[in-house]
Amino acid sequence: GLLLQEMTMAGLHELRFTEEKPLLRGQDAELENSDVFLCAVDTDWKEHDIETPYGLLHVVIRGSPKGNRPAILTYHDVGLNHKLCFNTFFNYEDMQEITKHFVVCHVDAPGQQTGASQFPQGYQYPSMDQLAAMLPSVVQHFGFKYVIGIGVGAGAYVLAKFALIFPDLVEGLVLMNIDPNGKGWIDWAAAKLSGLTSTLPDTVLSHLFSQEELVNNTELVQSYRQQIGSVVNQFNLQLFLNMYNSRRDLDINRPGTVPNAKTLRCPVMLVVGDNAPAEEGVVECNSKLDPTNTTFLKVGGWQGAPAVSPQPGKLTEAFKYFLQGMGYTPWLSLCARAVPSASMTRLARSRTASLTSASSVDGTRPRACTHSESTEAMGQINHTMEVSC
């Protein structure tokens, strides 16, 4: 991580800016008419190929940076791209009510976007650390101050790495189906054997779905098998899968458990479905994070990928309260039309109470968990909680 940071930061000095407090409604006259502004801007998705230290990165973006609000940046799982992974979730009406207040940036892992050219034989695919080190180029290219990351599976691992190496660029993280552990020799050998006896789409499906779901939900699984086999370049996909399977442990520990423990300093919401293959990994990740800024959300009857959520309203509601917990409350409180469930109300109350205790008296939104002094102020408050929907 240190080596990657030294290599990447050489050309990114301008990214080390002093912290500025994002403005809330009522603190700036322009933001009083934020809905008018957001209707006036070009909200079409725009595609970009961004040069990074480790090759081109395909990105699609909607909206323009406004003030000090962070961008929402997503990273998909193995076998998918931003369309297959996030379109259904972000097209959900209540989610659009939330995201219209932010610039949204979808990142495709190298070579995974629709219509991507096949990499040449012998191409060295970026490591998981290098994939994370590509993201500051995206931040710099668009002039983001910092981002709120939403990642699934492999994408969650990449975003967690990004937050560990560049903590000042990450405002918060929503990590779905994250597995913080690298594969041991037995798992590695099993994956190799599976690769010899199974097709690539089948191998990916076993990563995305539980065995029970593969057997009982054949229509959904078959739909994904067709899309994985036709939308994503198979050679490129194999390279991405190989690199993900060779990942190392995320190397995080709960503060106070080991000397000089590394952890994610921003607010984190861990999300997993009770039918997801990654459930054990997400539970372990929760045990390794700082309990003062982590929320664990388990959604019943779900694999954990937003594209196949049976309850997109629950995910949207959880995301809204996650944002509110970071201080984006004045206008987000008007976004969701549904009455919050009791569990989500508890989540919001817990987060809001925790962060209010560390906020400044003038009401500016604190970046409470990205700086050590704020973490100390919150040290006595535990708002880690499991919420089952």
Side-chain angles (χ1 to χ4, degrees), residues 37 41 61-71 102-104 139 141-145:
F37 165 78
V41 300
I61 185 170
R62 182 183 66 190
S64 302
K66 177 64 176 176
N68 293 318
R69 295 185 193 178
F102 300 86
V103 58
V104 178
V139 174
H141 180 88
F142 294 112
F144 300 152
K145 297 294 185 181

Side-chain angles (χ1 to χ4, degrees), residues 7 43 49 89 98 114 128 133 165 167 175 179 191 199-201 213 217-218 238 253 273 284 287 327 355 364 372-373:
M7 293 171 61
T43 58
D49 289 314
F89 180 49
I98 296 173
T114 303
M128 301 304 287
I165 302 172
L175 304 177
D179 187 345
T199 65
L200 179 58
E213 196 76 4
N217 202 341
T218 55
Q238 184 70 67
N253 290 283
E284 181 171 350
S287 71
L355 291 170
T364 54
S372 58
E373 61 271 20

Side-chain angles (χ1 to χ4, degrees), residues 263-372:
T263 191
L264 297 171
R265 292 193 284 160
C266 62
V268 178
M269 182 168 70
L270 298 173
V271 184
V272 69
D274 62 359
N275 290 330
E279 182 179 2
E280 184 177 332
V282 178
V283 170
E284 181 171 350
C285 187
N286 183 58
S287 71
K288 293 182 175 182
L289 291 177
D290 184 349
T292 65
N293 64 355
T294 305
T295 299
F296 180 35
L297 175 67
K298 183 186 288 186
V299 181
W302 182 52
Q303 295 294 306
V308 293
S309 172
Q311 304 178 70
K314 291 296 183 183
L315 279 182
T316 302
E317 191 177 8
F319 184 55
K320 185 191 77 167
Y321 284 113
F322 180 69
L323 293 173
Q324 286 184 338
M326 291 189 289
Y328 295 103
T329 51
W331 29 269
L332 280 178
S333 60
L334 303 176
C335 288
R337 295 186 303 276
V339 176
S341 64
S343 59
M344 286 289 91
T345 302
R346 289 196 301 272
L347 186 154
R349 182 167 58 246
S350 176
R351 276 211 174 273
T352 303
S354 302
L355 291 170
T356 300
S357 68
S359 64
S360 57
V361 294
D362 65 358
T364 54
R365 190 185 59 77
R367 297 190 64 203
C369 298
T370 55
H371 295 279
S372 58

Side-chain angles (χ1 to χ4, degrees), residues 14-311:
E14 61 270 35
L15 290 179
R16 294 299 179 183
F17 34 76
T18 57
E19 180 189 5
E20 298 179 63
K21 304 295 184 183
L23 299 175
L24 298 180
R25 184 183 289 260
Q27 295 175 269
D28 190 310
E30 287 185 328
L31 294 186
E32 292 293 345
N33 297 314
S34 61
D35 289 343
V36 175
F37 165 78
L38 289 161
C39 291
V41 300
D42 181 6
T43 58
D44 292 336
W45 293 100
K46 299 185 183 300
E47 298 190 40
H48 299 261
D49 289 314
I50 298 174
E51 190 71 47
T52 80
Y54 304 101
L56 288 176
L57 204 55
H58 182 261
V59 172
V60 297
I61 185 170
R62 182 183 66 190
S64 302
K66 177 64 176 176
N68 293 318
R69 295 185 193 178
I72 295 174
L73 184 146
T74 74
Y75 212 114
H76 59 86
D77 202 354
V78 167
L80 309 175
N81 52 37
H82 81 271
K83 291 182 179 179
L84 296 178
C85 193
F86 292 109
N87 263 16
T88 301
F89 180 49
F90 275 81
N91 286 337
Y92 184 67
E93 186 175 359
D94 286 350
M95 187 63 177
Q96 290 187 336
E97 285 296 309
I98 296 173
T99 58
K100 74 178 183 179
H101 297 281
F102 300 86
V103 58
V104 178
C105 179
H106 293 305
V107 177
D108 286 316
Q112 309 304 301
Q113 69 270 24
T114 303
S117 300
Q118 181 168 308
F119 291 125
Q121 291 290 336
Y123 172 78
Q124 181 59 50
Y125 201 84
S127 67
M128 301 304 287
D129 282 20
Q130 289 171 337
L131 290 175
M134 298 171 83
L135 295 178
S137 298
V138 177
V139 174
Q140 181 187 36
H141 180 88
F142 294 112
F144 300 152
K145 297 294 185 181
Y146 28 77
V147 303
I148 295 172
I150 303 179
V152 182
Y157 183 97
V158 169
L159 289 180
K161 273 285 186 183
F162 173 50
L164 287 171
I165 302 172
F166 304 97
D168 291 340
L169 300 183
V170 182
E171 178 80 358
L173 288 174
V174 178
L175 304 177
M176 305 183 190
N177 281 1
I178 186 171
D179 187 345
N181 301 314
K183 286 185 176 293
W185 285 107
I186 295 178
D187 293 332
W188 180 84
K192 283 290 186 182
L193 181 61
S194 175
L196 295 174
T197 58
S198 304
T199 65
L200 179 58
D202 285 334
T203 300
V204 171
L205 287 170
S206 67
H207 165 74
L208 298 175
F209 296 97
S210 66
Q211 190 60 41
E212 179 183 358
E213 196 76 4
L214 290 173
V215 173
N216 296 333
N217 202 341
T218 55
E219 185 176 344
L220 174 66
V221 171
Q222 182 60 26
S223 173
Y224 263 76
R225 178 182 284 107
Q226 293 174 350
Q227 293 184 84
I228 292 168
S230 60
V231 175
V232 183
N233 182 282
Q234 299 297 280
F235 181 81
N236 297 351
L237 169 55
Q238 184 70 67
L239 294 178
F240 185 24
L241 178 63
N242 291 345
M243 194 54 69
Y244 178 63
N245 285 338
S246 64
R247 70 190 182 279
R248 298 180 178 180
D249 289 352
L250 199 54
D251 193 24
I252 54 175
N253 290 283
R254 179 163 290 185
T257 58
V258 299
N260 302 316
K262 291 194 301 183
T263 191
L264 297 171
R265 292 193 284 160
C266 62
V268 178
M269 182 168 70
L270 298 173
V271 184
V272 69
D274 62 359
N275 290 330
E279 182 179 2
E280 184 177 332
V282 178
V283 170
E284 181 171 350
C285 187
N286 183 58
S287 71
K288 293 182 175 182
L289 291 177
D290 184 349
T292 65
N293 64 355
T294 305
T295 299
F296 180 35
L297 175 67
K298 183 186 288 186
V299 181
W302 182 52
Q303 295 294 306
V308 293
S309 172
Q311 304 178 70

